[in-house]
Amino acid sequence: MSVLRKDFLWGGATAANQYEGAWDVDGKGPSVSDMCTNGSHTTPKRVTPTFEEGTLYPSREATDFYHHYKEDIALAAEMGFKCFRMSINWTRIFPTGMETEPNEAGLAFYDKVFDELNKYGIEPLVTISHYELPYALVEKYNGWYGREVIDFYVRYCEVIFDRYQDKVKYWLTFNEINCGTMTMGAVLSLGTIKDYCGPVTEVPDEKQIRYQGLHHQFVASAKAIKLAHEKYPQFQMGCMICFATKYPYTCNPDDVLKCQNEMRQFNWFCSDVQVRGYYPSYMNRFFEENNITIAKEPGDDELLKQGTVYFYTFSYYMTACESADPNADAVGGNLVGGCKNPYLQASDWGWQIDPKGLRYTLNEIYDRYQIPLMVVENGLGAYDKLEEDGSVHDSYRIDYLRQHIEQMEEAVKDGVDLMGYTPWGWIDVVSASTGEMAKRYGLVYVNKYDDGTGDLGRRKKDSFYWYKKVIESNGDEL
Ligand code: BGP
């Protein structure tokens, strides 16, 4: 007997900037992601304010959901998806972010997508902003650093809420909002890179600017949630956190304290604001020690209280350790690394694989907030081999997913209220951190390669057939 809810939201996750392509079609404007070049595990991708002839910008075509949505949704339906996580590309609706009237062709595209999902009884889960800030807002306001961007975001929400009120119930205000606590977040999520040109790994660490930008995102998120609450009571509004669990490397109290601090700064801070409705007191010391002053307007604190989320979602890929010893062995990870855990293996990109860490993490989050949780990203980025007969034997991916689902079920037995599971990049998409195609997560393979070639054909991997059974049995047959 399945331990999961009967209405468990099984599905898969994507984001427009990595999946949709058609970057300048039907009136769409450029987003920050459209200005990023490709890269690799060893060579960072770059952001360029102007188009460089002969350079590849992988988001621009991506894996072309725009022209394949019917085929892709049919594949999702064949696996039995109950839920389809996607994002709306802000610049398809407001090409510069600043228009007063939305772009009808952009709105019409998502009508078609939602209708197609509805045809199969699949519930959309929509991320309102997933690394798709209009580039024009970077040029004019230094991205989210400009308080003006709050109003542009709210206008965008008003339009999509009104238009899709009968088609979409589950919304996430920002993807991995805590990305803004990291230097890399200046590119991906805050767009505080006015005039910057260069590798995403060398963006200056401007904490004052980033934390001010984050404050604006908190206010924008709260305003959107308040609006939903007042006008669309049927909506379920959630936050989305990149959760990179840390363990103390040893029981040395210095390691333990360092770990606690990292957990707060990266994993807890943003959701403490979005779930509880106020800044946690531990941030005061951090702000003081880093000379950060958050400019708030009257009413901001009130808004944060009024605009708290109804459910908590997160991405989970890896864990790392924290050590007070500066010579400890470093390891990479999703946005943040840490030091190596001798008990864990890592993926080809150095992300440490830790299924039991997911059980631990779900319990920690649920203990803290006591609201429904959903794992909206998880998966293994790996090199896949497409066989001549069109098959892909990805037993390593099946193992990864199976072990994580097992631990998710353990967490449910522990008492966690879990709504659903949408593994990342259920169909191959461009990698967010490196801009590669070679780093694949999909259960469906897409013929698209790092040099930009490929006919975009879709092929079912072994994991496709496996996941179909998992869904059919509500997680019993793993
Ligand atoms: C998360 C993002 C996704 C996705 C995923 C995998 O941070 O929300 O957009 O890309 O990570 O990361 P990557 O593509 O870098 O392997």
Side-chain angles (χ1 to χ4, degrees), residues 30-32 35 47-49 91 133-140 193 196:
S31 73
V32 173
M35 311 309 278
V47 51
T48 75
T91 56
L133 183 71
Y135 192 70
L137 296 178
V138 173
E139 290 176 310
K140 180 123 196 244
I193 45 166
Y196 179 76

Side-chain angles (χ1 to χ4, degrees), residues 94-109:
F94 290 103
T96 68
M98 294 173 271
E99 294 80 0
T100 46
E101 290 305 314
N103 171 33
E104 176 53 35
L107 287 168
F109 170 66

Side-chain angles (χ1 to χ4, degrees), residues 11-15 19 81 83-86 376-378 422-427 429:
T14 60
Y19 182 32
F81 275 26
C83 175
F84 190 100
R85 179 174 175 228
M86 54 179 277
V376 295
E377 282 188 33
N378 170 240
T422 55
W424 173 251
W426 69 271
I427 179 163
V429 298

Side-chain angles (χ1 to χ4, degrees), residues 26 47 52 70 78 116 125 151 200 215 291 337 381 390 404 414:
D26 293 336
V47 51
E52 283 176 10
K70 282 196 176 170
E78 190 182 332
E116 197 66 16
L125 165 61
D151 289 343
V200 295
H215 178 71
N291 296 317
H404 282 79
D414 293 335

Side-chain angles (χ1 to χ4, degrees), residues 250-421:
T250 70
C251 50
N252 179 339
D254 287 337
D255 287 1
V256 176
L257 279 168
K258 176 137 195 271
C259 181
Q260 180 183 53
N261 189 46
E262 289 297 320
M263 284 291 288
R264 283 171 161 176
Q265 298 302 326
F266 186 70
N267 293 310
W268 295 125
F269 161 49
C270 294
S271 55
D272 279 354
V273 175
Q274 292 187 292
V275 178
R276 294 170 166 166
Y278 55 89
Y279 275 67
S281 57
Y282 57 77
M283 287 309 282
N284 294 340
R285 179 171 184 174
F286 174 81
F287 289 152
E288 250 167 59
E289 290 179 356
N290 289 280
N291 296 317
I292 298 168
T293 315
I294 307 287
K296 289 185 183 170
E297 284 203 354
D300 281 4
D301 286 334
E302 198 44 41
L303 265 169
L304 296 184
K305 279 206 189 77
Q306 293 165 341
T308 54
V309 295
Y310 311 174
F311 67 111
Y312 176 109
T313 79
F314 66 111
S315 61
Y316 178 90
Y317 294 91
M318 39 71 60
T319 63
C321 294
E322 277 303 323
S323 165
D325 173 3
N327 299 317
D329 257 358
V331 74
N334 188 18
L335 301 176
V336 279
C339 72
K340 264 197 189 138
N341 184 332
Y343 301 99
L344 301 178
Q345 306 288 319
S347 77
D348 288 334
W349 277 261
W351 298 16
Q352 297 185 127
I353 301 168
D354 185 7
K356 288 186 181 153
L358 177 56
R359 174 180 177 185
Y360 171 74
T361 303
L362 281 161
N363 274 289
E364 287 290 295
I365 301 170
Y366 194 63
D367 279 354
R368 196 174 184 109
Y369 299 133
Q370 302 279 298
I371 58 174
L373 309 185
M374 182 159 171
V375 180
V376 295
E377 282 188 33
N378 170 240
L380 181 69
Y383 294 107
D384 286 337
K385 183 162 177 277
L386 179 66
E387 306 291 345
E388 269 176 25
D389 64 0
S391 56
V392 177
H393 304 304
D394 57 345
S395 55
Y396 38 89
R397 181 168 295 109
I398 295 175
D399 288 344
Y400 179 103
L401 296 172
R402 174 193 298 120
Q403 289 164 12
H404 282 79
I405 296 171
E406 272 166 10
Q407 294 303 317
M408 231 165 55
E409 296 181 342
E410 288 301 318
V412 170
K413 289 190 207 158
D414 293 335
V416 169
D417 181 7
L418 188 65
M419 297 165 62
Y421 178 66

Side-chain angles (χ1 to χ4, degrees), residues 99-275:
E99 294 80 0
T100 46
E101 290 305 314
N103 171 33
E104 176 53 35
L107 287 168
F109 170 66
Y110 296 106
D111 269 325
K112 289 189 287 182
V113 170
F114 297 140
D115 290 346
E116 197 66 16
L117 288 168
N118 185 40
K119 188 169 115 187
Y120 297 102
I122 302 175
E123 195 77 59
L125 165 61
V126 172
T127 318
I128 298 169
S129 178
H130 190 139
Y131 305 158
E132 291 131 359
L133 183 71
Y135 192 70
L137 296 178
V138 173
E139 290 176 310
K140 180 123 196 244
Y141 297 105
N142 198 15
W144 278 99
Y145 185 61
R147 192 168 168 111
E148 295 84 347
V149 177
I150 298 175
D151 289 343
F152 295 129
Y153 175 90
V154 173
R155 182 185 304 158
Y156 162 52
C157 289
E158 281 165 358
V159 167
I160 57 177
F161 286 178
D162 180 59
R163 178 78 169 223
Y164 308 125
Q165 55 181 301
D166 300 322
K167 301 185 180 184
V168 179
K169 180 169 150 202
Y170 297 101
W171 302 87
L172 305 176
T173 52
F174 287 94
N175 180 63
E176 296 187 331
I177 192 167
N178 56 328
C179 182
T181 66
M182 310 300 299
T183 316
M184 172 92 137
V187 184
L188 289 177
S189 81
L190 292 168
T192 48
I193 45 166
K194 189 171 158 57
D195 301 326
Y196 179 76
C197 180
V200 295
T201 46
E202 285 171 31
V203 174
D205 180 14
E206 301 171 314
K207 289 196 178 59
Q208 169 65 44
I209 291 181
R210 285 207 318 279
Y211 281 87
Q212 186 64 51
L214 253 182
H215 178 71
H216 295 151
Q217 289 191 332
F218 292 147
V219 173
S221 170
K223 281 193 161 183
I225 293 172
K226 190 168 172 251
L227 170 69
H229 192 62
E230 289 164 359
K231 266 187 103 173
Y232 310 100
Q234 73 276 24
F235 284 4
Q236 298 267 320
M237 307 297 296
C239 62
M240 198 298 195
I241 301 290
C242 170
F243 213 104
T245 298
K246 297 295 181 75
Y247 305 128
Y249 186 65
T250 70
C251 50
N252 179 339
D254 287 337
D255 287 1
V256 176
L257 279 168
K258 176 137 195 271
C259 181
Q260 180 183 53
N261 189 46
E262 289 297 320
M263 284 291 288
R264 283 171 161 176
Q265 298 302 326
F266 186 70
N267 293 310
W268 295 125
F269 161 49
C270 294
S271 55
D272 279 354
V273 175
Q274 292 187 292
V275 178

